[in-house]
Amino acid sequence: MNNSKKIQSALISVFDKTGLEPIVQQLHQQNVTLYSTGGTEDFIKNLGIPVVAVEDVTSYPSILGGRVKTLHPKIFGGILNRQDHEGDVQQMEEFNIPQIDLVIVDLYPFEKTVASGASESDIIEKIDIGGISLIRAAAKNFKDTLIVASVNEYSYLLDLIVAQNGTTTLEQRKLLATKAFHVSSHYDTAIFNYFNTDETIYKQSIADGQILRYGENPHQKGYFFGAFDEMFTKIHGKELSYNNLLDVDAAVNLILEFKNNNPTFAILKHNNACGLATRETMKEAYLDALAGDPTSAFGGVLIANGTIDKATATEINQLFCEVVIAPSFDAEAISILEEKKNRIILVQNEVELPQKQVRTCLNGLLIQERNAITDTKEGLKTVTTLEPTNQEIEDLLFASKICKNTKSNTIVLAKNGQLIAAGTGQTSRVDALKQAIEKANSFNFDLKGAVMASDAFFPFPDCVEIAHHAGITAVIQPGGSIKDELSITYCNENNLKMVFTGTRHFKH
């Protein structure tokens, strides 16, 4: 059975005329009858190419301010008729319905109109009716009709009709129908989300997917769905992997906590900070971040809250690292960092992060709001007799920001604007603290005068006792345990300061 179809007629009705001219010219050269409406009809006429107005077919003008143009049986009959169905063939003749073999249509820019901050009335007018109906009709009848529903498919269509002299195969028509249904479903999702206020209903459509080399491990397939190029300008290096992207996400969320601080540099490994420091210069911040754990920094992701200059890049270049991220780089810094062929260099653009976080769980999804609370000085409640000093308060808040962005259970130790060590992802908070102390000691940090942050409360006083013996002088934690008084009493008896934030920062 021959499933090839020759295009003999086409309905063209588009909002965006970009790239349309060569297609129209080629269809004209192949003696294709063109039907059109409104602005597209004028566009074709201005090319000196004959075109039949849809209203001449339907005997109805465009009405209701253009809301109704193509919605008519003579148009949809021409698209939806089954050419191998005897009853359809007879009705096409009976009602003098023209056959339409190709539909080229796009949709009003609903998402762009919403993003522009337009009024509700303007947004409503950008809900396409005729276009979406044409797309669904032509895609449904892909057996006989070719649908092109996006300017992104224009080059494919042009290559097709040139190479095959206006003839298409069933497989090609089905492919374009699939793409058309993607356009229509994405469009409907955007409209629904504009109207929806029921948080128990979740719909999302992401148009731009990227195939990754593999997932977490080489035997797993991996994909990224998102507008990466909006968020970053990649100026050097290999393609990012699945694990790179997870680390970059963790780095971006962490450095956001220090957006308005003095020069701050962070080094991450497996989604957790292994080094972070705030200093007067970016070079100093990098060197002190590196000192936090120079072993783990190998192969890590680096991120800065300000410009990376030549002096900082020179130091970075001595370290093997996967990714370097900053809002800007000096030209000399880029030249230095580009010396490593595979090193990924990303300029971070100002883009608002999604307000909801989504992850798979069992046979469904878990969705939550972002953890948008950052602990502040005003929100601290001193629960011990001794008040922390100004320097200790700065370090407590510094440590809390890191703690919030570290896998639970976690303990973070900091001193003088530097991450000393962290215990990450432990099943016991005591184990997390012991891990942090052991790591700090292994890199010869003096814990006397350091502070401790915990992502959740202490059910027992064991952690403050261990911290005290290590030399730590101040503690920040959410509070809320029924045994808080045990920890408070221990601190008071041993001259420790402790503040409560009232906010837990689990990160699982």
Side-chain angles (χ1 to χ4, degrees), residues 259-272:
K259 181 178 180 180
N260 299 316
N261 289 53
N262 285 339
T264 301
F265 208 104
I267 304 172
L268 290 90
K269 198 72 172 289
H270 300 299
N271 305 167
N272 295 309

Side-chain angles (χ1 to χ4, degrees), residues 118-243:
S119 67
E120 182 174 276
S121 60
D122 288 339
I123 291 170
I124 298 303
E125 285 308 308
K126 289 300 185 288
I127 298 177
D128 206 307
I129 303 301
I132 203 81
S133 301
L134 290 169
I135 288 172
R136 291 179 65 84
K140 175 179 180 177
N141 201 36
F142 68 88
K143 185 177 178 182
D144 293 311
T145 308
L146 182 68
I147 174 65
V148 175
S150 169
V151 67
N152 297 329
E153 310 305 329
Y154 283 6
S155 60
Y156 175 74
L157 173 64
L158 185 61
D159 291 344
L160 206 63
I161 58 179
V162 169
Q164 298 174 191
N165 193 31
T167 299
T168 62
T169 65
L170 179 62
E171 290 74 18
Q172 290 163 346
R173 294 192 297 277
K174 190 171 184 178
L175 171 64
L176 283 172
T178 303
K179 292 177 179 291
F181 281 126
H182 168 62
V183 169
S184 65
S185 64
H186 180 82
Y187 194 76
D188 283 339
T189 298
I191 295 170
F192 171 80
N193 286 331
Y194 171 75
F195 284 99
N196 183 44
T197 58
D198 185 348
E199 294 186 354
T200 65
I201 302 174
Y202 177 75
K203 294 182 187 293
Q204 186 175 23
S205 175
I206 303 176
D208 303 312
Q210 176 185 348
I211 300 174
L212 304 174
R213 295 196 302 274
Y214 50 82
E216 275 186 295
N217 300 290
H219 63 274
Q220 296 171 270
K221 292 181 179 179
Y223 310 88
F224 173 72
F225 292 90
F228 184 85
D229 292 341
E230 289 182 12
M231 191 160 187
F232 299 101
T233 302
K234 181 170 176 282
I235 56 179
H236 183 73
K238 63 183 180 181
E239 292 301 314
L240 281 90
S241 69
Y242 183 98
N243 292 327

Side-chain angles (χ1 to χ4, degrees), residues 422-433:
T424 63
Q426 299 302 303
T427 53
S428 158
R429 200 160 302 281
V430 171
D431 286 343
L433 174 55

Side-chain angles (χ1 to χ4, degrees), residues 93 139 151 188 203 256 303 361 391 452 494:
E93 293 178 359
V151 67
D188 283 339
K203 294 182 187 293
L256 187 62
I303 190 165
C361 181
Q391 180 60 56
M452 174 175 74
N494 293 277

Side-chain angles (χ1 to χ4, degrees), residues 290 434 455:
L290 179 64
K434 288 179 177 179
D455 59 341

Side-chain angles (χ1 to χ4, degrees), residues 436-456:
I437 292 172
E438 181 181 353
K439 178 171 278 193
N441 290 334
S442 72
F443 292 114
N444 299 315
F445 283 108
D446 181 7
L447 287 175
K448 185 177 180 181
V451 305
M452 174 175 74
S454 173
D455 59 341

